[in-house]
Amino acid sequence: MADVAAKAGVSRALVSIVFRGQPGAGRETRERVLRVADEIGYRPDNAARLLARGRSRTLGVMFTAHQIFQADLVEGIYAEAERLDYEVLLSATGPGRGEAKAVEALLSHRCEAVILLGPGATDADLDALGQRTVAVSVGRRVPRARVDSVHTAEGKGVRQAMDHLVELGHRRIVHIDGGRGPGSAERRRAYRAAMRRHGLESEMRVIPGDHTEQSGIDTGRLLLAEREGGQALPTAVLAGNDRCAMGLLMALTRSGIEVPRDLSVVGYDDSHLSHLMPIGLTTVRQDALLMAEYAVRFAVDRLENRELEPREAVLDSKLVVRGTSGPAPVEGPA
């Protein structure tokens, strides 16, 4: 700033006024200061300025790099944070980099609050984090922790999907479990409840899995191997999420199974890739933008009032019917 002031022939205080956008500098002076700053490559250090005031105005976001729906959430978080004049810093989890490390990296960079996308930590660990800093859980309900939470009405979405399949005549409906993924426990419970409600307990089957394409591929291979052994294919599969559903579709179509003629597939999330496939994926929609807005607002509200009690936003879900669901076959494929 001193270099800009010297070259522009003005005081350092006037340079500060120009970069803060405050009145006190004439148009020509302002233009000269900005031109000199551009010539010497000077950029104001907003982070240092905010820290000098005791604020970073930065929200940290923990996410999983390969989760498509979380990428949609991140886009929404950026938009809402910018609207509220906050910056966003990302920290990804992955093999060899757990949630604790990802969160500590955000806190070490002076993030004022952390937004956790699909956290897998225990309730106790999340409560401890909430005692240390402002924290928001997205995609997972944490009723016993001092964190705000934003999630979809998982049970309602699964009920819509199951009712849709039953109305199409399906009875052998399999669910690929999402393991410890966000919302998986609720989706699993809702699937079982729906099968009982429709009198299909004898057909109930939950296949262990997770929220990856590989899980869907493995399930497809399992079902195809069972068919080779003389067991009928299910007529429909409710996948734990869209990625799992896409992996299943890959395995089935490569083996000559036609979707939805031979078998219907339903996903969960309505991530941005679900409608870009050659055959659009029938899936349960979560509103990523609205979830992101709530998460950012919850974080900002708590930063302004630390005495707020933890809040929970439960957003609506909606079945989106596309090309991967159709009438049950009269007889299962041979």
Side-chain angles (χ1 to χ4, degrees), residues 97-212:
R97 193 171 197 266
E99 292 186 7
K101 187 171 184 178
V103 170
E104 287 304 320
L106 295 172
L107 296 178
S108 70
H109 283 83
R110 300 181 182 270
C111 292
E112 292 187 317
V114 290
I115 297 174
L116 313 171
L117 306 187
T122 65
D123 288 4
D125 286 341
L126 291 174
D127 183 61
L129 176 63
Q131 302 291 342
R132 292 174 56 197
T133 189
V134 173
V136 182
S137 168
V138 180
R140 174 183 164 191
R141 182 172 180 263
V142 195
R144 292 177 294 278
R146 188 170 176 74
V147 300
D148 295 311
S149 63
V150 182
H151 62 95
T152 298
E154 309 279 354
K156 179 179 178 180
V158 170
R159 284 194 301 272
Q160 291 176 358
M162 294 296 290
D163 290 348
H164 169 66
L165 292 172
V166 171
E167 287 171 4
L168 289 171
H170 295 277
R171 292 182 56 82
R172 296 196 308 277
I173 306 171
V174 167
H175 175 51
I176 307 176
D177 186 25
R180 297 185 60 189
S184 295
E186 291 83 357
R187 295 170 200 178
R188 183 169 57 248
R189 284 195 294 268
Y191 161 78
R192 287 175 170 152
M195 290 293 279
R196 287 191 292 268
R197 180 165 53 88
H198 288 291
L200 301 175
E201 284 185 89
S202 62
E203 302 289 352
M204 189 185 303
R205 184 182 182 188
V206 176
I207 298 177
D210 57 37
H211 286 174
T212 64

Side-chain angles (χ1 to χ4, degrees), residues 266-300:
V266 178
Y268 201 108
D269 282 341
D270 196 28
S271 55
H272 67 273
L273 293 182
S274 63
H275 60 281
L276 300 179
M277 302 165 56
I279 175 172
L281 178 67
T282 295
T283 184
V284 177
R285 183 172 189 264
Q286 298 192 88
D287 191 331
L289 292 180
L290 189 58
M291 293 175 76
E293 289 175 9
Y294 267 98
V296 172
R297 290 174 194 170
F298 277 0
V300 171

